[in-house]
Amino acid sequence: MKRLLLALSLTLSAAALAPVPVRAGATDSDEERAARWTEIKKTIFGDRAVEANDAAVKIDAPARALDASLVPIGLTLADKDNVKGLYFIIDDNPSPYAAHFTFGPAADPAEIKMRVRVNNYTNVHAVVETKDGKLIESAKFVKASGGCSAPMGMSDEEAMKGMGDMRMKFAGGAQGGQPVEATLMVRHPNFSGMQMNQVTRDYTPARYVDKLDVTHGDQLVFSLAGDISIASNPVINFGIKPEGKGPIKVAATDNQGGRWEHTFQLPAASN
């Protein structure tokens, strides 16, 4: 039962926080959802003001998810050169704090794509942190149910085979200093702690990627602090400025002490 009462955890600060007490559902009113978001904002951002402006960040998400455990999310940033970080929050997930991206000088943060779990009919929020410290948010409503407890369709042992393996694909080569679109794929079950082992009927302990650092040479592309809401076998699309020297390095850790590193070569510039 304790595993079902997951706390709203901030990987960013490694703080164990109390779960949000107000529960959502398909019949919740706009006022109830607004009250929940107010409480979540207070938990994550404290007394910092969060301005609502849908133009700052566009959320591309299905109105109704085909698979609640693999919900595709696209985040497009209007003023990419003024972005320091990006939060993604799923209001009614057991741990609403899904991901926090911190961008470095080698990042082209125009667009981020990833896959997440959605546990209930809920608002999702993207919050941009600008370089001068402002927080600007947009929201979208997503219909989904049971994404955090959905089984993977295989044994835990099978799900963990090859854990930590990575691949990276690039959309073409660097051309005239233009950003390169990359797709990072990480082999990891990202167990939520709410999934039942189909053989033993016990709940599988939570084990998820909690930190992911991507660098190009000696420059940071992005650092990701994650939680249970990121889907199994994480896939992240992002942009790289091909200005640095050396390989692209990815370092990942999980909440059970696992650590993996891989390097990849950026495609050569094409004429």
Side-chain angles (χ1 to χ4, degrees):
M1 185 65 178
K2 290 182 180 179
R3 292 191 183 114
L4 296 178
L5 301 176
L6 293 172
L8 170 60
S9 60
L10 294 182
T11 309
L12 173 65
S13 60
L17 302 175
V20 176
V22 187
R23 299 299 299 166
T27 60
D28 280 4
S29 67
D30 290 342
E31 290 75 15
E32 288 172 314
R33 296 187 190 281
R36 184 176 306 108
W37 174 234
T38 297
E39 190 167 6
I40 292 170
K41 281 192 296 185
K42 180 71 174 178
T43 303
I44 296 176
F45 302 112
D47 295 329
R48 298 175 68 186
V50 183
E51 173 190 348
N53 185 346
D54 288 342
V57 52
K58 176 186 175 183
I59 302 174
D60 184 11
R64 183 182 294 275
L66 296 177
D67 184 342
S69 66
L70 288 170
V71 181
I73 300 293
L75 305 172
T76 304
L77 298 140
D79 188 7
K80 65 177 184 178
D81 294 330
N82 192 35
V83 172
K84 176 183 177 182
L86 177 64
Y87 297 81
F88 189 69
I89 298 159
I90 306 171
D91 292 15
D92 193 50
N93 270 15
S95 179
Y97 181 97
H100 175 216
F101 292 86
T102 301
F103 299 109
D108 178 71
E111 185 177 43
I112 292 287
K113 295 179 181 179
M114 58 184 173
R115 304 183 303 189
V116 300
R117 298 178 170 119
V118 177
N119 209 51
N120 207 339
Y121 285 36
T122 183
N123 283 330
V124 299
H125 284 86
V127 180
V128 174
E129 183 175 15
T130 64
K131 290 180 179 178
D132 59 0
K134 293 180 181 178
L135 297 171
I136 308 172
E137 60 100 347
S138 64
K140 187 165 185 177
F141 186 66
V142 177
K143 295 179 180 179
S145 182
C148 292
S149 58
M152 294 186 65
M154 63 185 74
S155 69
D156 293 352
E157 292 74 17
E158 290 174 315
M160 290 190 290
K161 283 183 179 178
M163 189 164 57
D165 288 348
M166 301 182 198
R167 290 188 295 159
M168 188 175 290
K169 294 182 179 180
F170 302 94
Q175 300 184 38
Q178 294 299 309
V180 177
E181 181 182 341
T183 302
L184 172 65
M185 295 156 279
V186 181
R187 179 78 175 174
H188 197 290
N190 259 30
F191 292 130
S192 68
M194 299 175 62
Q195 297 152 310
M196 180 178 288
N197 185 301
Q198 299 302 295
V199 177
T200 67
R201 312 302 291 174
D202 292 328
Y203 288 100
T204 302
R207 183 165 190 176
Y208 55 89
V209 174
D210 60 0
K211 187 73 180 296
L212 191 66
D213 292 320
V214 180
T215 55
H216 182 203
D218 60 355
Q219 292 188 331
L220 177 69
V221 180
F222 69 82
S223 180
L224 168 64
D227 211 288
I228 67 166
S229 293
I230 295 179
S232 299
N233 299 318
V235 177
I236 302 170
N237 292 73
F238 59 96
I240 301 174
K241 293 179 181 178
E243 299 172 356
K245 295 181 179 180
I248 297 171
K249 179 180 175 181
V250 181
T253 63
D254 69 18
N255 68 315
Q256 295 293 334
R259 180 175 177 82
W260 305 271
E261 291 187 0
H262 290 267
T263 58
F264 304 91
Q265 295 298 323
L266 193 68
S270 56
N271 297 325

